[in-house]
């Protein structure tokens, strides 16, 4: 398993296909932190939401790097379950590196400020922790969407791109506060809203958002597993 | 291993690429699958390896360790030859030394640092062969293994096939050029128009019991003394179809060769 994760990450990095999504990461970060400074929680909440489509794209590109025939050879070598799980793990690892970079970036651009006295805003440390949580939840959901739009599932290029783009747009549109079916998509927008004020949200709100994000990801990953079972 | 009424198509509403294939492969057997391009040989082989899953029916009792040599090795990967085989060895849970052994054995030592994409077709084919042999397979599936190999490497295939069958493994080989005589004792299947024929019988009409193997082959051997060799010349493009047709009508095709090549001594002696 570890050997396969390593092999796929190496193929992804050496192949040069990582470049396009990484440029998108830079663009997103530039837009996010080009303006003034905001409290850590608010900045990271938006960063996690804005990175969602890029992380999903990154996951799709990583999973699509390997030629179909090589994926089948790997499946014969390690079995279908480990083949699938190792792909997801590699995508999570690559995404985690991007998230870490995204969380370091605002410190370079002075995009984060401390709490204003008397505003009730949470401390920088608490904001950073909330940011880590927001990024992780966004990352897991994004990897699930990227996996579902991978060539191993969709077989052809166009349906894969359509799945990725439709999914990313729906996450934003159905995630708006006026949405009537917000639970259809992972709560990356809801998380950004909850962190927006700079005041730490209530523990129950956080727990609810976390459970929602994990449940959505679990359903999406289960769908991925089912679809992959019939498509080598 | 049993093909139990295997049907396959590549997509819903697509035409069947294979219908109702029934056959058995026993340990130690070599099966040569013949047929023209596009007949479904590769599909059958990928189903056998477990790379494709049957749309209907099932393949039962497949050995746990399967080595598959794809028709075209996926060379579009950013690894060197050695790096790739070492990584595949790690996936199979064997040491890099095992990969080095096959690098040596298949004559790949000169290319270890070369990127997979820069390899010649025959060399890439050998990498495909090496990765399938890292662990002794219970089932070895070779899809057109002779493609692109030089004369010296061609003799390697029968050698490796003999080793795998000798260790109790089964081997499935596809071949559209009729190099089959290099594999003594092989059972012949033919695939035509998405149907598997086992020894000239429409496979669907026979029971899953070993259809041709023992009896037909033994008759052939017994009749050997009374056989004569008829040499025929056909246009190169029709060679495949002719071999399949002759075999279907019960003839024993010894080999296909280029016109200029001299006949082999033992055949002349007859």
């Amino acid at each position: 398993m570890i050997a396969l994760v390593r092999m796929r990450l190496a193929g992804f990095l050496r192949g040069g296909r990582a470049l396009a999504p990484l440029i998108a990461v830079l663009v997103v970060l530039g837009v996010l932190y080009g303006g003034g400074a905001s409290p850590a929680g608010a900045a990271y909440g938006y960063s996690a939401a804005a990175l969602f489509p890029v992380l999903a794209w990154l996951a799709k590109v990583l999973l699509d790097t390997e030629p179909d025939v090589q994926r089948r050879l790997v499946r014969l070598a390690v079995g279908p379950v480990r083949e699938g799980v190792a792909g997801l793990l590699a995508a999570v690892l690559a995404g985690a590196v991007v998230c870490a970079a995204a969380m370091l970036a605002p410190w370079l651009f002075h995009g984060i400020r401390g709490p204003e006295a008397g505003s009730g805003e949470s401390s920088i440390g608490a904001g950073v922790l909330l940011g880590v949580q927001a990024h992780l939840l966004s990352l897991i959901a994004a990897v699930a969407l990227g996996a579902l739009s991978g060539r191993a599932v969709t077989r052809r290029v166009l349906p894969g791109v359509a799945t990725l783009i439709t999914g990313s747009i729906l996450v934003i549109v159905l995630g708006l506060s006026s949405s009537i079916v917000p639970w259809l998509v992972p709560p990356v927008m809801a998380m950004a809203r909850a962190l927006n004020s700079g005041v730490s949200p209530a523990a129950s709100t956080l727990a609810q958002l976390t459970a929602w994000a994990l449940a959505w990801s679990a359903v999406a990953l289960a769908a991925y597993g089912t679809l992959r079972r019939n498509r080598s | 291993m049993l093909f139990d009424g295997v049907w396959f198509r590549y997509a819903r509403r697509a035409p069947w690429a294979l219908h109702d294939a029934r056959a058995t492969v026993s340990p130690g057997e070599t099966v040569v699958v013949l047929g023209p391009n596009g007949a479904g040989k590769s599909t059958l082989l990928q189903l056998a390896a477990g790379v494709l899953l049957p749309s209907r029916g099932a393949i039962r009792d497949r050995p746990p360790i399967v080595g598959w040599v794809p028709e075209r090795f996926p060379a579009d990967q950013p690894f060197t030859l050695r790096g790739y085989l070492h990584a595949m060895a790690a996936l199979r849970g064997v040491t890099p030394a095992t990969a080095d052994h096959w690098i040596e054995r298949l004559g790949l030592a000169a290319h270890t640092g070369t990127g997979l994409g820069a390899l010649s077709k025959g060399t890439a084919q050998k990498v495909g062969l090496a990765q399938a042999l890292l662990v002794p397979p219970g089932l070895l599936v070779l899809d057109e293994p002779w493609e692109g190999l030089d004369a010296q490497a061609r003799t390697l295939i029968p050698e490796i096939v003999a080793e795998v069958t000798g260790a109790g493994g089964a081997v499935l080989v596809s071949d559209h050029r009729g190099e089959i005589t290099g594999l003594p004792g092989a059972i012949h299947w033919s695939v035509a128009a998405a149907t598997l024929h086992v020894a000239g019988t429409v496979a669907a009409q026979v029971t899953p019991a070993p259809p041709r193997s023992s009896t037909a082959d033994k008759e052939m051997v017994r009749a050997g003394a009374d056989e004569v060799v008829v040499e025929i010349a056909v246009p190169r493009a029709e060679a495949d179809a002719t071999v399949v047709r002759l075999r279907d009508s019960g003839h024993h095709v010894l080999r296909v060769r280029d016109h200029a090549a001299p006949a082999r001594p033992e055949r002349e002696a007859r």
Side-chain angles (χ1 to χ4, degrees):
Chain A
M1 183 95 105
I2 293 167
L4 180 52
V5 171
R6 196 181 301 146
M7 185 179 185
R8 285 188 166 162
L9 282 174
F12 174 62
L13 293 176
R14 285 185 213 163
R17 286 176 220 220
L19 194 61
L22 290 182
I23 289 173
V25 170
L26 289 181
V27 171
V28 167
L29 293 179
V31 170
L32 276 176
Y33 300 117
S38 47
Y44 286 145
Y46 279 114
S47 155
L51 282 176
F52 178 86
V54 184
L55 291 171
W57 183 20
L58 189 81
K60 173 177 161 53
V61 171
L62 188 145
L63 292 173
D64 285 357
T65 299
E66 199 171 59
D68 289 342
V69 174
Q70 174 62 22
R71 188 178 62 244
R72 291 170 189 152
L73 287 173
V74 167
R75 222 168 143 87
L76 284 185
V78 302
V81 174
R82 279 195 279 176
E83 187 272 313
V85 173
L88 294 173
L89 263 182
V92 166
L93 280 177
V97 172
V98 168
C99 287
M103 291 199 66
L104 289 175
W107 300 101
L108 300 177
F109 305 135
H110 303 292
I112 286 181
R113 60 169 169 76
E116 278 172 359
S119 66
E121 287 173 356
S122 50
S123 68
I124 285 188
V128 169
L129 282 181
L130 286 171
V132 170
Q133 188 179 358
H135 277 93
L136 276 181
L137 294 178
S138 178
L139 169 61
I140 293 168
V143 166
L145 175 62
L148 279 173
S149 56
R151 202 176 56 236
V153 171
T154 64
R155 291 187 188 162
R156 285 173 299 130
V157 175
L158 209 54
V161 174
T163 308
L164 182 71
I165 292 176
T166 314
S168 302
I169 292 175
L170 286 182
V171 165
I172 296 168
V173 173
L174 298 183
L176 294 174
S177 56
S178 56
S179 169
I180 46 170
V181 281
W183 41 267
L184 270 185
V185 292
V188 289
M189 294 291 282
M191 190 69 157
R193 275 198 302 277
L195 300 183
N196 180 38
S197 65
V199 183
S200 289
S204 63
T205 313
L206 274 183
Q208 196 196 340
L209 288 173
T210 306
W212 173 3
L214 292 179
W216 189 92
S217 305
V219 171
L221 289 173
Y224 175 68
T226 311
L227 289 170
R228 281 299 311 276
R229 198 174 304 152
N230 301 318
R231 306 172 187 196
S232 57
Chain B
M1 191 171 80
L2 170 68
F3 288 73
D4 192 359
V6 173
W7 295 64
F8 183 81
R9 57 183 162 189
Y10 280 92
R12 244 174 241 149
R13 289 195 291 274
W16 290 104
L18 191 72
H19 39 91
D20 203 21
R22 290 170 189 275
T24 38
V25 185
S26 311
E29 266 181 3
T30 307
V31 175
V32 177
V33 184
L34 295 139
N37 294 333
K41 292 190 303 284
S42 205
T43 304
L44 179 75
L45 259 58
Q46 290 184 56
L47 284 161
V51 168
L52 294 177
L53 302 174
S55 310
R56 287 187 209 161
I59 292 169
R60 305 188 198 287
D61 306 323
R62 181 189 291 116
I65 295 174
V66 179
W68 173 49
V69 181
E71 191 175 4
R72 272 184 289 270
F73 177 76
D76 179 22
Q77 300 185 67
F79 300 108
T80 62
L81 187 153
R82 188 201 278 113
Y84 174 79
L85 284 177
H86 280 191
M88 288 306 280
L91 297 195
R92 288 280 192 180
V94 295
T95 59
T98 318
D100 292 335
H101 162 76
W102 284 105
I103 288 174
E104 212 49 56
R105 170 102 193 261
L106 297 178
L108 294 169
H111 309 283
T112 48
T114 312
L116 291 181
L119 296 174
S120 71
K121 188 176 179 199
T123 314
Q125 189 70 15
K126 286 188 203 169
V127 180
L129 193 57
Q131 63 77 27
L133 295 164
L134 289 168
V135 180
L139 171 68
L140 178 62
V141 177
L142 303 162
D143 205 343
E144 303 285 354
W146 286 282
E147 278 310 295
L149 292 189
D150 50 38
Q152 198 184 1
R154 272 154 196 263
T155 60
L156 265 171
I157 306 259
E159 225 177 274
I160 287 165
V161 168
E163 277 170 35
V164 171
T165 52
V171 180
L172 258 73
V173 194
S174 76
D175 176 23
H176 74 278
R177 290 156 45 114
E179 304 230 12
I180 37 159
T181 43
L183 295 175
I187 296 162
H188 299 161
W189 296 355
S190 62
V191 180
T195 312
L196 171 63
H197 302 264
V198 176
T201 336
V202 176
Q205 296 170 347
V206 299
T207 52
R212 170 214 174 111
S213 57
S214 39
T215 48
D217 271 348
K218 274 175 201 149
E219 276 169 19
M220 212 77 90
V221 173
R222 251 186 283 124
D226 282 343
E227 270 183 351
V228 291
V229 176
V230 179
E231 290 198 308
I232 56 168
V234 295
R236 186 173 293 272
E238 290 168 23
D240 302 335
T242 310
V243 169
V244 172
R245 210 162 49 238
L246 287 174
R247 185 163 297 108
D248 281 355
S249 47
H251 299 297
H252 189 185
V253 178
L254 293 171
R255 67 167 168 157
V256 175
R257 63 167 169 83
D258 280 330
H259 204 49
R264 286 206 307 222
E266 71 264 28
R267 301 281 179 239
E268 283 176 348
R270 276 186 190 170

